[in-house]
Amino acid sequence: MLAPKPPSAEQLAAAKAATAKPAGYAEVRAVVEQRCAICHNATVQQKNVALHTPQLLKQHAQNVYQQSVVTKIMPLNNATQMTDAEGELIKRWHDAGAPVN
């Protein structure tokens, strides 16, 4: 009675389609700027990683994926509150070859 109404078939299909499509650079860039750039930018480069240009993000794509999706070590102590949905977005971008165009 108090449980939320289960999602409709259309809502489930839309959610599945959204997670099946590759993520674009602009989507990932927004996440990186909000969650990662505090410690990985032109001025501050923790662990010698800077992510402020498309080329640098592409160069470090494997590390970004590994640290934020696989091991979930970054952001450190999840200080910037990265969500599972944002991690899934990074995963889809990485799996698509980490495009930056």
Side-chain angles (χ1 to χ4, degrees):
M1 184 178 241
L2 296 176
K5 180 179 162 186
S8 68
E10 293 85 20
Q11 290 170 322
L12 290 172
K16 185 175 181 180
T19 60
K21 70 174 186 157
Y25 170 73
E27 297 169 296
V28 171
R29 175 91 243 146
V31 171
V32 168
E33 286 176 1
Q34 185 175 15
R35 309 295 186 201
C36 311
I38 293 169
C39 297
H40 303 285
N41 57 62
T43 306
V44 179
Q45 298 177 7
Q46 295 291 326
K47 296 186 178 184
N48 294 322
V49 175
L51 304 173
H52 60 281
T53 69
Q55 295 78 19
L56 287 168
L57 185 55
K58 175 82 173 177
Q59 176 185 337
H60 296 290
Q62 180 62 39
N63 287 337
V64 170
Y65 168 72
Q66 188 71 31
Q67 297 292 317
S68 65
V69 177
V70 176
T71 63
K72 295 186 180 184
I73 293 172
M74 292 289 147
L76 189 59
N77 296 322
N78 203 16
T80 58
Q81 304 298 306
M82 181 179 278
T83 67
D84 289 340
E86 290 167 334
E88 179 61 30
L89 183 78
I90 291 171
K91 178 186 183 315
R92 291 193 336 261
W93 171 75
H94 174 266
D95 290 351
V100 292
N101 51 5

